[in-house]
Amino acid sequence: MAARVPVPAPPASVQWLLLLLLPVMALGVWLDGAAYDPDRARFKPGGKRIPMAAFLPERLGNLFRLNPVKGYDKANLFEYINGHAEFFIDAGFVNLAVGEYGGEKGAASPAVVVDIYDLQKPLHAFGVLMDEAARHGEPVEVGEMGFASEAGLAFISGPYYIKLAAFDSDTPLMPLARGVHQVIGGAGGEQAQAFAFPDLGETTRTRFIKESYRGLDFFSNVVERSFDLDGRELTAFLLTGSPEEKRQTTTALKDFLAGEEIPNPAIREAGVEWVTVMDPYEDEWFFVWSEDRFLGVFAPLTDELKTRIQAYLAL
C-alpha cells in the first residue's frame, strides 16, 4: 500500500477569499429563484397530464396510435419545432398535443402525425392557418376552414389549429382530419365569428393581417376578404372584439380622418350608422360597426350592399 501524501492547507488569504464568496453565491441562488418562470413548473416531462390528449384517440380510422400523446408548452415548444416556436408563441400559443399513428400497433415509424395547437382564440387559430397553410394549399371542407397541400392538411376548429402530416403517400388525410374534428366536436368553444363575413359574393381570397392594416396602427388582427360580386371585385375587412375595442377603433379612425381632413359623412338607418369615407388614396369606401364587429368595405355604399350587410348584422 502506498504511503498517504499529506495535503497542504490553502494559504490564509485563499481561505478568507472563499469565505467572502459565500454571500455572493447565496445572492446568486436567491436571484435565480426570484426569476423563476411558473410556466416551466407546469410542464410535465413525464406526460402525467397532457392537455388535449383526449382529442387524439387510440384509434383514428384504420390507424392505431403508436405512442402516448406528447405534450408541449411555451417552455419546451422549441424542442419540437425549433426555429418556428416563436411564431406560434407570438400567435397566442398555449399547448401542443402530438399523436403518431400507424397501420399496425408497435410500428417502428408513423404513417401520419397529428399536431393540435391550442391558440386560445379562434382568431389566433385563423391567423396561423392563413400564414402557414393558405398560401400553398387548396381549400378543403373540414372544420371551420382548411387547406391541403403536398406537405399535408391543416384546418381550424374554434381556438385549435390542427395539422396532419403523412409519411405514407397511400394514407388519405381527409377522413382522418374529419375524425379528429369529430372528436374535438363542441370543445371548439365559441363560434369563429372572427372570419364570418356578410354574403358579398363568391370568396376569392382571405388573408389575416396582424398589425397596422393598410398602414394604420389602430387596425390590428384584421381579416381581409375579397369577393366576386357579379363579376365585380370587392374587398372587405373585419375586426372583432369587445364593444369597448370597437368603440376605440371607431374613435381612432374618425380622429385620423379628421386629422387628414378626409370627408366622412354618416347616415343612420334602422339603428346602424353608415360612414362613407371620401378617401383620396383608396377611393370611396364605407364602414359600419356593431357591438362585436367592425366591417369596412372598399366600394361605394349601394342599396344592394346595405341590404346584404343589414342581414349580416342582424345575426
Side-chain angles (χ1 to χ4, degrees):
M1 179 181 293
R4 177 177 295 177
V5 178
V7 178
S13 59
V14 174
Q15 294 182 36
W16 278 106
L17 180 61
L18 291 173
L19 287 173
L20 291 173
L21 283 175
L22 286 175
V24 176
M25 294 169 65
L27 177 62
V29 170
W30 180 84
L31 289 174
D32 185 62
Y36 171 71
D37 182 0
D39 279 346
R40 295 187 177 185
R42 286 194 283 271
F43 170 50
K44 299 177 176 57
K48 293 180 181 177
R49 180 182 175 279
I50 304 297
M52 302 179 293
F55 294 163
L56 295 165
E58 293 278 349
R59 185 162 183 173
L60 194 58
N62 295 324
L63 302 182
F64 297 92
R65 202 179 70 217
L66 302 179
N67 302 297
V69 174
K70 299 175 184 176
Y72 300 85
D73 61 13
K74 293 179 184 176
N76 67 335
L77 182 61
F78 70 93
E79 294 177 4
Y80 187 65
I81 48 172
N82 191 17
H84 204 40
E86 289 299 324
F87 164 78
F88 280 95
I89 292 172
D90 289 346
F93 169 81
V94 179
N95 287 293
L96 164 65
V98 179
E100 297 177 339
Y101 290 85
E104 298 178 358
K105 287 186 176 179
S109 57
V112 174
V113 174
V114 182
D115 300 342
I116 302 179
Y117 293 82
D118 181 357
L119 295 161
Q120 300 186 71
K121 296 181 179 181
L123 181 60
H124 296 167
F126 174 80
V128 169
L129 179 73
M130 289 295 103
D131 284 344
E132 274 229 319
R135 294 178 184 175
H136 308 292
E138 293 294 326
V140 291
E141 293 187 4
V142 59
E144 284 143 11
M145 186 178 291
F147 296 91
S149 68
E150 292 183 358
L153 189 152
F155 69 97
I156 54 176
S157 178
Y160 304 115
Y161 171 64
I162 302 100
K163 289 176 64 176
L164 292 89
F167 297 93
D168 175 1
S169 58
D170 293 331
T171 302
L173 292 180
M174 270 299 288
L176 302 178
R178 286 175 174 151
V180 173
H181 182 240
Q182 187 175 17
V183 174
I184 294 176
E190 62 182 286
Q191 287 294 316
Q193 291 292 336
F195 37 88
F197 275 79
D199 177 13
L200 298 177
E202 182 180 351
T203 299
T204 58
R205 189 183 66 158
T206 301
R207 67 188 187 112
F208 176 73
I209 302 92
K210 188 172 183 179
E211 296 176 339
S212 300
Y213 178 61
R214 303 219 172 197
L216 301 175
D217 58 6
F218 48 83
F219 278 161
S220 58
N221 293 320
V222 173
V223 181
E224 181 189 79
R225 180 164 295 178
S226 297
F227 301 87
D228 183 337
L229 181 59
D230 299 329
R232 179 164 53 102
E233 184 178 338
L234 184 150
T235 298
F237 66 97
L238 178 69
L239 293 87
T240 57
S242 67
E244 177 61 20
E245 289 172 330
K246 300 290 87 57
R247 187 193 64 77
Q248 291 177 358
T249 299
T250 304
T251 300
L253 175 56
K254 287 188 172 182
D255 288 346
F256 169 79
L257 295 173
E260 295 292 319
E261 298 182 347
I262 297 175
N264 54 102
I267 58 172
R268 179 171 285 277
E269 292 181 3
V272 177
E273 185 177 54
W274 305 82
V275 181
T276 296
V277 181
M278 315 301 288
D279 195 327
Y281 309 106
E282 303 280 1
D283 294 327
E284 186 176 320
W285 60 283
F286 66 92
F287 65 88
V288 295
W289 70 96
S290 64
E291 282 195 352
D292 59 351
R293 286 165 286 188
F294 180 103
L295 177 74
V297 180
F298 291 100
L301 180 59
T302 63
D303 290 340
E304 179 190 10
L305 292 178
K306 207 183 290 184
T307 300
R308 289 172 179 261
I309 293 172
Q310 281 173 333
Y312 160 78
L313 293 176
L315 295 177

